[in-house]
Amino acid sequence: EIALDAFDVPEAWLSLPAPEHDIYRGLGPNAEAPLFPGSLDIDVFLHSFAVDEFFTVRLTYIPSLAPVVNQEFSWVLPAGALAQDQVDDLGGRRVVYRIPMDQASGLGAPYGITRLEGQEFSALNPLWLALPSPAASLPNVQPPAWKMSVTHLANLEAISTSITRRHFDEASKAIVTEFDGFPAGLAWPFFLIGDYELRQTKNQNWHLRLDSKATLEEDAMFEMMRLRKVLDAWLPRSNTHWTLASFPWIGDRVMPGLVVLDEQRGWFSSPVDGKLDGISRRTALARLLCQEPFGARLHGRGSGALFLEASLAEYATWRLLNAAGNTSDAEALRQSWIRKEQVASKLPLPLSMLEIGDLYGPRRLLSFGPLVWQSIETKCGREALDAILRERLAAGNLWSTQDLELALTKANSDVDWSAFFLKHVYGRQLPTAE
């Protein structure tokens, strides 16, 4: 007992109490994600996959500033990728490599690829992408500007951003689909390859995989088009082009200009009034649509980014359902937030410091967060808040919680927004119902 009484617990063993306030006010110590130092031209070759069980990628790096010195330049390839020798006049700024695909890998294939039997692929995670050494050494680098072409079998369809050209290549006897790509900072490269049937619902073209076993595909599509029309009227955007496609096993995915519905989740075989993950399928569709403007297109900056993306998209889902006349779905969603917060403990961290893991666990960003946005609407006024959101969507650049606070102060200076944000955004206190 004497020995135990004399033992002092090292400070390193003691857990630190949760901070009451975010001293960085939503930015964090590393708020400025570095820019990708250049752009990428990407060529993906999938047409001979059935023969050699590899697909080939050719990348050309275009530096943003001065030319890269040969001795200082290198490529960081995906683990297991095989580089091919290629002589060119770009000083090493082009690389060609092959990625082996395990026939038995099926659902959790490496390199961010989900491969179905045969030649159908989902490549929505950029783990298959090699990086030039200037970018690979930067932490949390922003996505580069890029454009891409995919060479694939003629019976399949390639889907990504908007198509600029599609032609038959005599040499490879395959189809080459060329895509616009994106400017810097918006999204990492992504594509789908599948045996798709082009469908049309309310003048919206979309892609249904032929092996999707769809029986009620029009039910979800008509509801998606209806909600999208309401969303576009509420939050008009400069670029109204978007694509919708099906694919199994990858979860529902929202990319800039692309929504992918997971066939395994019953979107094409269940009525839209049915339930999914405890909410109506209509609510789930509205949630996906709202993630496109807030998260896939307009990005947050700093530690408070998820409040400006996931929490805002959840609040927008409630607004969209109400605007579309689905008031019972909207109220059910709001009540789910309230119930969640009534039984939950105090936030483990200030709202602006919650990390991505919260969305896969407690999901307080999807209950506490939208309730804060509702309080912002009440204090600012709906018209003023909508004007701020439309302005940010039109600008299309990164924004921070401090940018939001500044815009709200300009819109309604009668509110002490600094105190509000300190309590409810940079703090752990839930606003009271008004």
Side-chain angles (χ1 to χ4, degrees), residues 29 48 74 114 126 154 219 229 291 335 366 375:
S48 60
S74 63
T114 297
D219 202 33
K229 185 177 180 180
Q291 288 170 4
Q335 289 299 325
L366 301 183
S375 183

Side-chain angles (χ1 to χ4, degrees), residues 50-168:
V51 176
D52 57 13
E53 290 299 321
F54 287 82
F55 72 88
T56 301
V57 180
R58 180 175 64 205
L59 293 180
T60 303
Y61 171 60
I62 303 163
S64 54
L65 298 173
V68 178
V69 179
N70 293 356
Q71 288 78 5
E72 299 177 358
F73 184 85
S74 63
W75 286 92
V76 178
L77 300 181
L82 308 174
Q84 294 184 225
D85 293 330
Q86 185 185 39
V87 178
D88 60 64
D89 58 357
L90 298 178
R93 295 201 304 271
R94 175 174 291 157
V95 66
V96 179
Y97 59 97
R98 302 202 305 165
I99 294 182
M101 294 297 291
D102 180 4
Q103 279 278 21
S105 61
L107 305 182
Y111 313 111
I113 303 289
T114 297
R115 177 193 168 201
L116 306 183
E117 291 186 10
Q119 294 272 339
E120 295 185 285
F121 290 88
S122 155
L124 303 185
N125 299 319
L127 300 178
W128 53 272
L129 191 69
L131 290 178
S133 55
S137 61
L138 296 173
N140 301 318
V141 65
Q142 293 185 36
W146 55 272
K147 59 182 180 178
M148 179 172 62
S149 75
V150 179
T151 301
H152 54 91
L153 295 180
N155 64 306
L156 302 180
E157 189 80 20
I159 299 171
S160 181
T161 68
S162 56
I163 295 175
T164 57
R165 186 179 178 223
R166 192 172 187 265
H167 63 279
F168 181 75

